[in-house]
Each structure stands twice: as structure tokens, then as C-alpha cells.
Amino acid sequence: MNRAIIAKSIITSLGCLALFAPNPAAAQIIPQPWVSVGGKDGDTTYAVGARALNLGVELGVGPDGATGVDVLRFLRLPVVSPYVGVGYYSEDKGVALSGGVQMGAGDRFFVGAGYNSVRGVNGQLGIRF
């Protein structure tokens, strides 16, 4: 075989391996819980959430006693983990859209900031097990 063909095959194989290589599963299976406090229109809002396998769920309480759940999708990057989500809230609040970012604050803790269309701007504090 030609050396150029062998080199191209090796480079392509390594590229595919890097692209499709699985992330360490043990670290992703253990849920990472967090609490969130924020505000919208002068009301304080609260939420609790958990993340595993780059998916998350957040149960929140918004203004006027609206309660709901958001499903989140995380993008795992080296330093930060941005996320987007969609949820549904009671008290005629309807569908909520959310987005934000979480990042490590040491070996066992992480912090985050986000926005939810029902609950407003919020800060997050979580723990890794």
C-alpha cells in the first residue's frame, strides 16, 4: 500500500475515535444535585435539580405559586457546561424556556447561573459525589 493512503487512514481513524469515544460513564451516572434561588418581578423563586448523563431535571416554584418542571440538556465542555431546557408551569404560566451555564468550583462543588422565562434569573450551587 502507498504510504499516503496508510497515513490518511490512520488520521481518519484517530479522528473518528476522538469524535465517537464515550465519556467516562462512572462520573456521569452519579447524579449531581443543585439548589437554585432567583427572582422575577420582585418575587423570590426556588428550584432543585439534578443532572446525570448530560440530561437534567429541575423542579421549580415561580411567582404566584406557579410550580413546574424543566427538562435540561447539557453540553459538556472542558471548563463550563452550558444548558438549554424546556418546561411546563402551573397557574397559567404555561411553557417555560431556560438556559444557563454551570462550572466547577473545586473538586466537589459547582456553581451556575441561568434564566428561566417563568422563574427569572437564578443562581445555582451544587455538589458532585
Side-chain angles (χ1 to χ4, degrees):
M1 287 182 83
N2 188 352
R3 285 186 174 170
I5 294 173
I6 294 172
K8 287 179 185 178
S9 298
I10 291 172
I11 291 171
T12 304
S13 298
L14 290 175
C16 288
L17 180 62
L19 182 62
F20 297 114
N23 291 331
Q28 293 181 359
I29 293 175
I30 300 171
Q32 299 174 3
W34 71 84
V35 295
S36 174
V37 177
K40 183 168 184 178
D41 299 330
D43 292 329
T44 303
T45 62
Y46 306 94
V48 295
R51 167 186 175 182
L53 299 173
N54 291 328
L55 294 174
V57 65
E58 193 170 40
L59 304 171
V61 177
D64 304 324
T67 58
V69 62
D70 296 285
V71 176
L72 309 172
R73 173 69 171 123
F74 288 85
L75 178 62
R76 189 175 186 105
L77 297 176
V79 177
V80 298
S81 292
Y83 66 88
V84 295
V86 63
Y88 189 79
Y89 282 76
S90 66
E91 302 299 323
D92 295 328
K93 300 293 184 189
V95 175
L97 301 175
S98 58
V101 65
Q102 291 181 346
M103 66 172 139
D107 292 338
R108 304 215 4 124
F109 295 99
F110 61 92
V111 295
Y115 177 78
N116 182 290
S117 60
V118 172
R119 293 184 289 112
V121 176
N122 60 71
Q124 305 160 1
L125 177 63
I127 189 167
R128 290 188 184 110
F129 294 105

